Amino acid sequence: MTEARDEAWRALTLHPDPTLEELFAADAERVDKLSSRLELGESGILFDWSKTHLTAELLGEFESFAEACDFPEMRRKLFAGEVVNPTEGRAAEHSALRGVGKESSVEEAAALLERMKLLVEAIHEGALGEVKHLIHVGIGGSALGPALAVDALSRDLSLVDVHVVSNIDGVALEAAFAACDPATTWIAVASKTFTTIETMTNAQSVLTWLDQNGVADPSGRVIALTADPEKAVEWGVDETRILPFAESVGGRYSLWSSIGFPIALAIGWEDFQALLDGAAAMDVHFRDTDGRDNVALRAAFADQYYTRIRGCQTRAVFCYDERLGLLPDYLQQLEMESNGKSVHVDGTPVEGTTAPITWGGVGTDAQHAVFQLLHQGTNLVPVDFIASIAPGDVLDPAHHRILLTNCFAQGAALMAGGNMSADGKDPARAFPGDRPSATILCDDLDAATLGALIAFHEHRTFANAVMMDINPFDQFGVELGKKMAKDIEGGEADFDASTEALLKAAGLA
Ligand code: F6P
């Protein structure tokens, strides 16, 4: 940390911590000051951070701190396509796929997406024969985004039945086989590197299944989604069926690229474009808005406050929308793989905590399972609630009304606290209150909204990384375990006594 940073940080830690109740009592305009809307054409999203402990003073200090961390310059570099991932010498150009970034990268990305569009439309028009099912094999960033978007956006109408399979456990693939007719099934092999063992093994097993079920040319059914087309050719994919994307697009930031092929196949190109456009609206907001008015930066201020000043070890996300059931999983990779680091950009150790553990679920289910700890446990857990004003169902409106009232009631209860016993004294029925939450309220959960929501979290993650002076775009922490598994496979195992005994017990050594 530079001196200016240290000083700005010290100023932040010296603030008193008024309670939420005190903050609301002191400022009648608190909600207006800490809420803002992102407009997305016909719809929009409200970001309400008023139930957090951010104050005007804290926001001012955080703005100075972000300046001292070179946030404006780092943000400029991000959108200019300059190197922001120094350990791998790469830019991070996911926003170029949405049309926001360095001009040449935006043009290249548009050309690649045009190629994908042609293939998607050809399939929809029947030019490749009957394609009813797609088995999309990929893992991590090559699966979580597609799975989330397909699940969120194609419930009413799916143009092609998509099954995202990630786990190497054959049980996952068998479930997809059981749901697909081999005669009308295609396979997307999604891997940035085209070397990931889970994906390549699963892909091979899909080919075997097609072959065993009478498909004459299983390889002809493969579409490769990758940043390494040569590897795909070596693996046997026809060059015309390879949809490449740029090396500068990180795995967990790649759903906007050809990795999003199954999304476009399921929801159609127009909606896929809307997903990109929604993300672009958030890009432009994040790029052009300074300080507390920038919704992703403001959220990162709260994240820094709770994690690094109040010592919160986790942050939770509860989606009061069944369609967003996979969002917590997606955010886990985005936030924990990006910011779960212990060293600064220059390699020196970070003092204190970096990324909190991201976890969550769907409301109201989670209320009946884990909210006990949020209300009365000893951990302080900042919570994000995400909901949509428009319902995703056409049942009795009571469903959606109860869903939303519960969402808002939980935020209010966490903040207010109280005692639910008759005499107001029973400690077992006491709620300490003053527990923070933020609410992201969408007008509707359409494709543009989902795009903006995901881009909001990408930029929030980036802003957090800049304020911790860490590189959010590498992920070396996943490598050691992978290498050891390979060593076992190659018979080179020389492990600790416990691991040796486990290998023996399982008949693997
Ligand atoms: O092991 C972690 C990781 O490298 C992720 O970062 C990535 O999203 C995932 O594996 C899949 O990688 P690939 O797309 O190269 O198969």
Side-chain angles (χ1 to χ4, degrees):
M1 288 242 185
T2 64
E3 245 171 66
R5 251 186 238 176
D6 281 351
E7 211 159 292
W9 183 256
R10 232 186 334 271
L12 268 165
T13 60
L14 296 177
H15 271 270
D17 291 323
T19 63
L20 293 171
E21 198 185 351
E22 287 163 350
L23 292 174
F24 273 91
D27 188 355
E29 280 157 31
R30 179 166 178 80
V31 176
D32 285 344
K33 287 183 187 161
L34 281 150
S35 303
S36 35
R37 266 179 72 83
L38 178 80
E39 300 300 340
L40 297 163
E42 306 267 282
S43 64
I45 310 177
L46 174 73
F47 294 86
D48 177 0
W49 254 248
S50 65
K51 291 195 196 76
T52 68
H53 292 84
L54 291 177
T55 60
E57 297 73 40
L58 266 178
L59 284 164
E61 305 276 13
F62 266 118
E63 284 167 350
S64 308
F65 177 63
E67 289 270 337
C69 293
D70 245 354
F71 173 76
E73 172 60 5
M74 290 303 292
R75 179 177 59 179
R76 187 200 63 72
K77 280 183 160 181
L78 176 76
F79 286 107
E82 292 178 22
V83 172
V84 286
N85 174 2
T87 50
E88 296 180 301
R90 284 185 197 149
E93 298 195 278
H94 38 284
S95 71
L97 288 150
R98 285 111 59 153
V100 183
K102 184 166 81 174
E103 208 179 313
S104 57
S105 306
V106 168
E107 278 166 16
E108 272 166 43
L112 292 175
L113 284 175
E114 183 59 26
R115 208 168 136 180
M116 169 164 139
K117 179 183 175 195
L118 292 177
L119 183 57
V120 167
E121 289 180 344
I123 292 174
H124 286 154
E125 284 158 12
L128 273 65
E130 200 181 8
V131 181
K132 272 194 175 163
H133 312 278
L134 179 82
I135 298 182
H136 172 100
V137 295
I139 198 163
S142 295
L144 289 161
L148 163 65
V150 168
D151 189 45
L153 301 176
S154 73
R155 284 174 179 243
D156 295 340
L157 173 72
S158 191
L159 298 172
V160 172
D161 170 44
V162 171
H163 297 263
V164 177
V165 177
S166 52
N167 202 348
I168 186 65
D169 186 341
V171 172
L173 205 46
E174 279 178 352
F177 292 161
C180 296
D181 169 8
T184 54
T185 299
W186 280 59
I187 163 175
V189 183
S191 175
K192 179 173 177 183
T193 55
F194 229 75
T195 56
T196 304
I197 188 160
E198 292 93 332
T199 301
M200 304 325 295
T201 308
N202 276 334
Q204 193 54 55
S205 291
V206 180
L207 293 186
T208 306
W209 174 74
L210 290 173
D211 181 51
Q212 287 170 346
N213 284 279
V215 173
D217 176 22
S219 302
R221 297 271 185 93
V222 177
I223 295 163
L225 320 172
T226 185
D228 196 339
E230 276 175 27
K231 285 253 167 53
V233 171
E234 276 167 35
W235 196 78
V237 186
D238 186 313
E239 252 175 285
T240 61
R241 299 276 164 76
I242 298 175
L243 297 175
F245 62 96
E247 191 65 55
S248 57
V249 175
R252 55 193 171 276
Y253 300 88
S254 66
L255 81 96
W256 323 99
S257 72
S258 60
I259 294 292
F261 171 75
I263 308 170
L265 210 56
I267 68 177
W269 192 264
E270 208 179 302
D271 275 356
F272 184 74
Q273 185 62 54
L275 184 81
L276 298 177
D277 293 346
M282 181 57 75
D283 290 331
V284 170
H285 167 81
F286 181 70
R287 186 193 62 192
D288 298 345
T289 312
D290 285 324
R292 68 194 74 182
D293 295 333
N294 181 321
V295 291
L297 183 59
R298 184 172 63 206
F301 290 163
D303 295 339
Q304 290 293 301
Y305 171 76
Y306 287 115
T307 308
R308 294 176 62 77
I309 297 178
R310 297 286 289 264
C312 300
Q313 293 285 329
T314 81
R315 87 171 196 92
V317 183
F318 294 102
C319 302
Y320 277 67
D321 194 310
E322 188 71 15
R323 295 166 295 178
L324 292 177
L326 297 177
L327 185 65
D329 287 4
Y330 180 84
L331 295 180
Q332 281 187 327
Q333 187 199 18
L334 176 63
E335 299 179 1
M336 293 164 72
E337 197 167 81
S338 296
N339 289 345
K341 313 278 168 66
S342 306
V343 293
H344 291 297
V345 172
D346 67 3
T348 57
V350 176
E351 255 179 57
T353 317
T354 54
I357 293 158
T358 307
W359 63 286
V362 290
T364 59
D365 292 6
Q367 286 176 210
H368 301 272
V370 297
F371 273 42
Q372 163 66 38
L373 179 146
L374 298 181
H375 287 286
Q376 290 189 314
T378 50
N379 298 282
L380 182 67
V381 183
V383 174
D384 280 8
F385 293 107
I386 305 181
S388 162
I389 297 172
D393 67 290
V394 292
L395 301 184
D396 183 333
H399 284 272
H400 200 61
R401 197 179 57 243
I402 296 169
L403 181 72
L404 285 187
T405 50
N406 268 275
C407 174
F408 303 149
Q410 289 300 325
L414 284 166
M415 179 165 88
N419 194 305
M420 290 203 60
S421 59
D423 64 357
K425 289 185 182 154
D426 181 356
R429 291 178 170 79
F431 295 75
D434 197 35
R435 303 204 163 188
S437 65
T439 305
I440 299 175
L441 187 59
C442 310
D443 289 350
D444 193 4
L445 187 66
D446 53 15
T449 302
L450 182 66
L453 211 51
I454 297 172
F456 162 78
H457 285 96
E458 288 176 349
H459 293 317
R460 174 183 186 169
T461 302
F462 172 75
N464 270 304
V466 173
M467 287 189 279
M468 296 184 291
D469 185 30
I470 61 176
N471 176 2
F473 297 116
D474 64 12
Q475 60 283 317
F476 296 113
V478 300
E479 297 304 331
L480 183 59
K482 279 188 201 171
K483 180 189 171 300
M484 288 203 175
K486 255 195 205 146
D487 289 350
I488 295 174
E489 282 279 321
E492 293 167 33
D494 181 16
F495 290 104
D496 58 89
S498 161
T499 308
E500 292 283 1
L502 289 168
L503 288 168
K504 263 204 196 109
L508 296 171

